[in-house]
Amino acid sequence: MKTLKVALLGCGNVGSQVARILLDDAEDLASRTGARLELTGIAVRNPDAPRDTDLPRNLFTTDAEKLVEGADIVIELMGGMEPARTLMLHAIGHGASVVTGNKALLAADGATLFEKADAAGVRLAYEAAVAGAIPILRPIRDSLSGDRITKVMGIVNGTTNYILDAMDSTGAQFADALADAQRLGYAEADPTADVEGHDAASKGAILASLAFHTNFDLANVSCEGISSVTADDIAAAKDAGFVIKLLAIAEKLDNDGEPGVSVRVHPTLLPRTHPLAAVHGAFNAVFVEAENAGELMFYGQGAGGAPTASAVMGDVVSTARRLVLGGPLGAETPTGSVPALPFAKVTTSYSIGLQVTDQPGVLAAVAQVFAEHGVSIETMRQTIHADGTASSAELRFVTHRASEAALAATVEAIKGLDIINSVTSVLRVEGV
Amino acid sequence: MKTLKVALLGCGNVGSQVARILLDDAEDLASRTGARLELTGIAVRNPDAPRDTDLPRNLFTTDAEKLVEGADIVIELMGGMEPARTLMLHAIGHGASVVTGNKALLAADGATLFEKADAAGVRLAYEAAVAGAIPILRPIRDSLSGDRITKVMGIVNGTTNYILDAMDSTGAQFADALADAQRLGYAEADPTADVEGHDAASKGAILASLAFHTNFDLANVSCEGISSVTADDIAAAKDAGFVIKLLAIAEKLDNDGEPGVSVRVHPTLLPRTHPLAAVHGAFNAVFVEAENAGELMFYGQGAGGAPTASAVMGDVVSTARRLVLGGPLGAETPTGSVPALPFAKVTTSYSIGLQVTDQPGVLAAVAQVFAEHGVSIETMRQTIHADGTASSAELRFVTHRASEAALAATVEAIKGLDIINSVTSVLRVEGV
């Protein structure tokens, strides 16, 4: 039986689980791949740092460069830009296939890596980079290869889904829900990358690239996080039959005959009957619309050591099988070239909350602004708060679909009205 | 550019959509596969029968045997055992790869077909055979190849899910919900194969084979349909926070150190918070539990011409790519051999409904029977119906997990008690 040398870069949460599986399940893996997978070493900064699992001390090395040079398969789980990028290129240059979970690097510079892997005839696999354990890359790339995807909407960040789900079920404010999530380990001490949507944006770029066979990077993604979502927003949404989710959306638009793809991340109102609305806690899900298949959804754990290690090992086994059986590797560079559309070109629907003084003519004045911008109103709800002397009211509008540019201009114009106390919330609506 | 000859057997609901895609999307398919996919003919019984789509008359032939002889890829969408089986073997014998959606044939005699395809070095692909458009075979076989699946639970029959969902939302009786489903085209005039669970049983055998790398056939599947599920069952389940779904379940059990796989189809109580509970109407979903990945779910349309055609075309494109790029084909015959366990060996939990005369000592007598069989009770709910003279009561028990044999014996013993008017329902519970 052939032996394949496997080098592991990084031994954190995911890496240590991958090492455990490679060592504990060696026999099973050999029978599934037809080759012995030999873990030749684990490159880390500090071999003596404490680890989750008990791994043989002699596997650890600080010389990552030398480790990858002798490998058939390099598993990169260090994260971040450097030295991950240089080491992956070094591995590719030495003829190794690479399995990675590095979404930030792929979203920033995937094009270069894919091109190099393709030129070298090695595989670059990255199932773990989007939605952790959920098999999404292979279904999109292979199973739907005879269909045409029109839209992808993903809950791809567990931290923000956990926070929004807690706000929805307990009525908590964002700050309190975040603090709870931090206490329970669902959010990091510095939660910026999660709550501001940057992590979701990286995954959105990768999903868009896969779905539309074109390289999109982080610069093509419009991004808005959840830190301004209030308990009032959630309550009002709930009242109207919606739930608020942070979605990464990649959508093909006709754009007046010049088709393009919009990639964006923003808090979104979804009908509570939508399949994505049933995704609770830190779970992830990716909802796909295709011309023939219709609606599909893939659901599972988006993070965590063992779940993400499962995705990594799926790529390792499939790469090893190919190395054993022969046949072409390669990274499958994108075949298409659909341009990325700026957000202003996107057609969407808004939910707008306004605080107004309850006096005659307010609704007429606001409605007039909508009409002037060619935006039509789907529903309006008014809630009146009387406080003894004057009374104020809250108005919540949901619009029909209109261009993002027209909607943004409408909101600006409403803000300029004297009779408006404040625009309390602007959220986009999908799934209706 | 290379040309691959594609022969289509059958031109019904799915076949006509596949033909449409092959003809209309020829350019796209060529750029995705690197080969021109030439539809060389469509074998049908009657070339002049009316079709859903407008297809060139000269493509039709009644000589299926001759058609497959010249093909690189044969798409079998005739359904049924014969002549589908003979034609597939004929195609394999002539070196063609086969794409099929024929779940009944695969469940009955998949082992022979896989073996022949493997020996001939051709591919046998069947994504469309389970859960229509939902990519499930590739994720289970490839993406989870570095993990170990422990359990699969699928809503794999749209007709029964439509009926149960309607009963749950409207309170209708089974017969009325079935009649509605027939009127709307969700159920056939003879609904036996669907409502008695036979269709789900075929898919269960295929799912089990995939998940546990062993050939299971229809004879290994215990099967119970939904025709005895009543509006009362659904109402009582709803009351207790459950929904009733027809599930195909494949589960690996320790079985006192001699591991085996249970494959079964039966109506099942699921907590309303379970991801499968949110699968409405005629949609399908497959829920997977794996050692490292944890819980995964795949959701989408389980039937229909275009959705199923999407799955067929995914297989066609991936087979064509492989034929263009080179490398091994083959059907990936199962590598393992876990025995199928008889239903009596399965550990499960029961929901039991009893109609009793409301008199002292009834509960004690029933509880005694449970205790004698070593079955412990998780919850009990009592509803009293007074009708003027005497009063009767309904008792609903949910048990802890126990062996199917012990549970069945308990139910038999309860039936023998004088104080019991009738056992109104026996349903299994999962997901708790």
Short mmCIF file of all heavy atoms in Angstrom, two decimals, chain B residues 22 25-26 34 48 138 153 194 231 294 299 312 321 328 340 347 357 375 378:
data_model
loop_
_atom_site.label_atom_id
_atom_site.label_comp_id
_atom_site.label_asym_id
_atom_site.label_seq_id
_atom_site.Cartn_x
_atom_site.Cartn_y
_atom_site.Cartn_z
N LEU B 22 -30.47 19.50 -22.32
CA LEU B 22 -29.38 19.09 -23.21
C LEU B 22 -29.41 19.89 -24.52
O LEU B 22 -28.37 20.26 -25.05
CB LEU B 22 -29.49 17.59 -23.51
CG LEU B 22 -28.96 16.64 -22.43
CD1 LEU B 22 -29.41 15.21 -22.69
CD2 LEU B 22 -27.42 16.72 -22.36
N ASP B 25 -29.33 24.18 -23.49
CA ASP B 25 -28.13 24.68 -22.81
C ASP B 25 -26.85 24.08 -23.38
O ASP B 25 -25.81 24.03 -22.71
CB ASP B 25 -28.19 24.36 -21.30
CG ASP B 25 -29.33 25.08 -20.61
OD1 ASP B 25 -29.99 25.90 -21.27
OD2 ASP B 25 -29.55 24.82 -19.41
N ALA B 26 -26.91 23.61 -24.64
CA ALA B 26 -25.79 22.88 -25.22
C ALA B 26 -24.47 23.66 -25.10
O ALA B 26 -23.43 23.09 -24.73
CB ALA B 26 -26.08 22.54 -26.67
N GLY B 34 -16.15 20.69 -21.35
CA GLY B 34 -15.05 20.56 -22.30
C GLY B 34 -15.38 19.61 -23.43
O GLY B 34 -14.50 19.22 -24.20
N ASP B 48 -45.11 9.05 -30.71
CA ASP B 48 -46.13 10.05 -31.03
C ASP B 48 -46.97 10.47 -29.82
O ASP B 48 -47.91 11.25 -29.97
CB ASP B 48 -47.03 9.53 -32.15
CG ASP B 48 -46.24 9.31 -33.43
OD1 ASP B 48 -45.50 10.24 -33.81
OD2 ASP B 48 -46.32 8.21 -34.00
N ARG B 138 -23.38 12.90 -3.28
CA ARG B 138 -22.00 13.37 -3.33
C ARG B 138 -21.54 13.88 -1.95
O ARG B 138 -20.46 13.52 -1.51
CB ARG B 138 -21.88 14.44 -4.41
CG ARG B 138 -20.52 14.49 -5.03
CD ARG B 138 -20.55 15.27 -6.33
NE ARG B 138 -20.78 14.48 -7.49
CZ ARG B 138 -21.85 14.56 -8.28
NH1 ARG B 138 -22.82 15.38 -8.00
NH2 ARG B 138 -21.96 13.80 -9.35
N MET B 153 -31.63 10.40 8.81
CA MET B 153 -33.10 10.40 8.88
C MET B 153 -33.59 11.29 7.75
O MET B 153 -33.23 12.47 7.68
CB MET B 153 -33.60 10.99 10.21
CG MET B 153 -33.16 10.21 11.44
SD MET B 153 -34.21 10.56 12.90
CE MET B 153 -33.71 12.24 13.28
N ASP B 194 -46.67 5.36 -2.25
CA ASP B 194 -46.28 6.49 -1.41
C ASP B 194 -46.77 6.32 0.03
O ASP B 194 -45.97 6.31 0.95
CB ASP B 194 -46.83 7.80 -1.99
CG ASP B 194 -46.14 8.18 -3.31
OD1 ASP B 194 -44.91 8.03 -3.38
OD2 ASP B 194 -46.83 8.61 -4.24
N ALA B 231 -56.20 12.12 12.71
CA ALA B 231 -56.21 13.53 13.12
C ALA B 231 -55.97 13.65 14.62
O ALA B 231 -55.31 14.59 15.08
CB ALA B 231 -57.54 14.19 12.73
N GLY B 294 -21.15 16.41 13.41
CA GLY B 294 -22.35 16.67 14.19
C GLY B 294 -23.58 16.57 13.31
O GLY B 294 -23.68 15.67 12.47
N TYR B 299 -31.79 20.07 2.24
CA TYR B 299 -33.20 20.38 2.03
C TYR B 299 -33.46 20.78 0.58
O TYR B 299 -32.62 21.47 -0.01
CB TYR B 299 -33.55 21.53 2.97
CG TYR B 299 -34.84 22.27 2.72
CD1 TYR B 299 -35.99 21.94 3.43
CD2 TYR B 299 -34.90 23.31 1.80
CE1 TYR B 299 -37.17 22.64 3.22
CE2 TYR B 299 -36.08 24.01 1.57
CZ TYR B 299 -37.21 23.66 2.30
OH TYR B 299 -38.38 24.35 2.09
N VAL B 312 -30.03 14.93 -12.38
CA VAL B 312 -29.56 14.08 -13.48
C VAL B 312 -28.43 14.79 -14.23
O VAL B 312 -27.37 14.22 -14.50
CB VAL B 312 -30.72 13.76 -14.45
CG1 VAL B 312 -30.19 13.11 -15.72
CG2 VAL B 312 -31.76 12.86 -13.77
N ARG B 321 -17.15 15.41 -17.65
CA ARG B 321 -15.85 16.01 -17.29
C ARG B 321 -14.80 14.94 -17.12
O ARG B 321 -13.67 15.07 -17.56
CB ARG B 321 -15.98 16.76 -15.96
CG ARG B 321 -16.42 18.18 -16.08
CD ARG B 321 -16.35 18.82 -14.70
NE ARG B 321 -16.97 20.12 -14.69
CZ ARG B 321 -17.43 20.71 -13.59
NH1 ARG B 321 -17.34 20.10 -12.42
NH2 ARG B 321 -17.97 21.91 -13.65
N PRO B 328 -9.87 7.55 -13.49
CA PRO B 328 -10.71 6.38 -13.29
C PRO B 328 -12.19 6.74 -13.18
O PRO B 328 -12.55 7.77 -12.63
CB PRO B 328 -10.21 5.81 -11.98
CG PRO B 328 -9.60 6.97 -11.26
CD PRO B 328 -9.07 7.89 -12.31
N ALA B 340 -27.29 -5.90 8.40
CA ALA B 340 -28.56 -5.23 8.67
C ALA B 340 -29.18 -5.88 9.90
O ALA B 340 -29.17 -7.10 10.04
CB ALA B 340 -29.49 -5.39 7.47
N THR B 347 -33.27 0.09 19.25
CA THR B 347 -33.67 0.80 20.45
C THR B 347 -34.41 2.06 20.02
O THR B 347 -33.89 2.84 19.23
CB THR B 347 -32.44 1.21 21.26
OG1 THR B 347 -31.72 0.03 21.60
CG2 THR B 347 -32.84 1.95 22.52
N THR B 357 -61.69 3.28 30.34
CA THR B 357 -62.81 3.73 31.15
C THR B 357 -62.21 4.43 32.36
O THR B 357 -61.25 3.93 32.95
CB THR B 357 -63.65 2.54 31.60
OG1 THR B 357 -63.99 1.78 30.44
CG2 THR B 357 -64.93 3.01 32.28
N VAL B 375 -39.82 -1.29 30.55
CA VAL B 375 -39.93 -0.07 29.76
C VAL B 375 -40.30 1.06 30.71
O VAL B 375 -41.29 0.97 31.43
CB VAL B 375 -41.02 -0.22 28.68
CG1 VAL B 375 -41.24 1.11 27.95
CG2 VAL B 375 -40.63 -1.31 27.69
N GLU B 378 -41.60 8.16 30.11
CA GLU B 378 -41.02 9.51 30.16
C GLU B 378 -42.10 10.53 30.53
O GLU B 378 -41.92 11.32 31.45
CB GLU B 378 -40.39 9.85 28.80
CG GLU B 378 -40.15 11.32 28.58
CD GLU B 378 -38.72 11.65 28.26
OE1 GLU B 378 -38.01 10.77 27.77
OE2 GLU B 378 -38.32 12.80 28.51
#
